[in-house]
Amino acid sequence: MSPPAVFASPKGLATALTVLLIICAAASLYMAVAAGNMTSLLNDFENGKVISRSRAENADDMWDSARAIYSVVFLPTAIVLLVWFHRVRVNAEVFAPAGHRLSRGWSIGAWFVPVVNLWFPKQIANDIWRASTPYGANPGLGAVTAWWTLWIISWVLNVLSFPADENDLDDMQREASMTTAAGLAMVAASILALLFIRKLSDRQLAKWYQGPNPQGAAPYAPGVPGAY
């Protein structure tokens, strides 16, 4: 049985995530540029153009460094995101104890379970967003849906860019072109994630400062909000 939900400001974690997501967006953009450079080289090779040794080595070095940088940046960003997501899920339970379809543990576990990780985190985010909507504010889910849509697109493109057979030119071109698209999609997803995180954190603080449901205010949170 989970301990009682206690509110804590998510602003510190949101600030850390903002910095990490900006770095992640920059790393994703570098990845897209490196992959685009590799695509250009492979296309020139396919068309019979002479490829200098230095150009090939520079493209390969850029490709390797981009993947290494992204791998280093992604891990801390993912960890802080999970901590923040769990924090706002607990806060949302303070606002709406009975308004959540999944338990707190799923705010972390849902990201790791195959298949359900395609919609469980979004379902949890929807419930958190609604529960955290200040009284009298618009509970629309546009910010949540936009972030999640771009995240799924970038995830699919990453899957399609699985490592190529280095002896198959078509396969290498496929990997490079899909990685370019995945990198650009991740830039957009990082920006939308940043906006979603900051908006949700601000909403939670605004609702907390409102205090218990003012008399006559419309309770937009799911379920019946408890007094906090």
Side-chain angles (χ1 to χ4, degrees):
M1 183 176 180
S2 300
V6 177
F7 182 88
S9 173
K11 291 294 284 185
L13 288 168
T15 299
L17 261 180
T18 297
V19 174
L20 288 169
L21 284 168
I22 291 173
I23 296 173
C24 193
S28 298
L29 182 59
Y30 181 51
M31 173 71 79
V33 172
N37 185 42
M38 181 63 74
T39 300
S40 176
L41 183 147
L42 293 171
N43 289 343
D44 286 348
F45 179 78
E46 183 182 37
N47 293 328
K49 294 184 178 181
V50 176
I51 307 298
S52 67
R53 182 185 182 90
S54 61
R55 182 187 174 190
E57 289 179 345
N58 289 338
D60 197 48
D61 289 344
M62 188 178 185
W63 176 261
D64 289 340
S65 66
R67 289 192 290 190
I69 290 171
Y70 185 80
S71 297
V72 169
V73 170
F74 180 80
L75 182 59
T77 303
I79 292 172
V80 178
L81 175 63
L82 289 175
V83 175
W84 172 84
F85 199 59
H86 184 265
R87 178 66 266 164
V88 294
R89 168 61 179 79
V90 174
N91 287 348
E93 193 171 324
V94 175
F95 302 136
H100 302 274
R101 288 166 285 183
L102 296 167
S103 66
R104 291 181 213 170
W106 278 108
S107 63
I108 294 177
W111 298 88
F112 300 98
V113 180
V115 182
V116 300
N117 60 4
L118 296 176
W119 77 87
F120 268 25
K122 172 62 162 59
Q123 192 176 77
I124 295 168
N126 286 349
D127 291 344
I128 294 172
W129 184 269
R130 292 193 184 100
S132 303
T133 299
Y135 300 111
N138 185 349
L141 296 169
V144 189
T145 301
W147 155 65
W148 190 251
T149 300
L150 261 296
W151 166 252
I152 291 297
I153 290 173
S154 64
W155 179 83
V156 170
L157 290 171
N158 269 306
V159 171
L160 293 177
S161 66
F162 58 88
D165 179 355
E166 294 184 359
N167 296 315
D168 187 326
L169 179 60
D170 289 340
D171 203 26
M172 292 174 67
Q173 289 174 311
R174 184 267 314 156
E175 180 188 6
S177 61
M178 286 295 100
T179 301
T180 302
L184 293 175
M186 185 56 74
V187 172
S190 296
I191 293 171
L192 289 179
L194 187 156
L195 295 174
F196 162 66
I197 287 161
R198 295 189 69 83
K199 284 184 178 181
L200 179 54
S201 299
D202 288 343
R203 288 167 83 88
Q204 288 204 334
L205 285 175
K207 187 161 187 177
W208 177 254
Y209 292 141
Q210 281 183 332
N213 188 357
Q215 187 174 4
Y220 283 113
V224 181
Y228 53 91

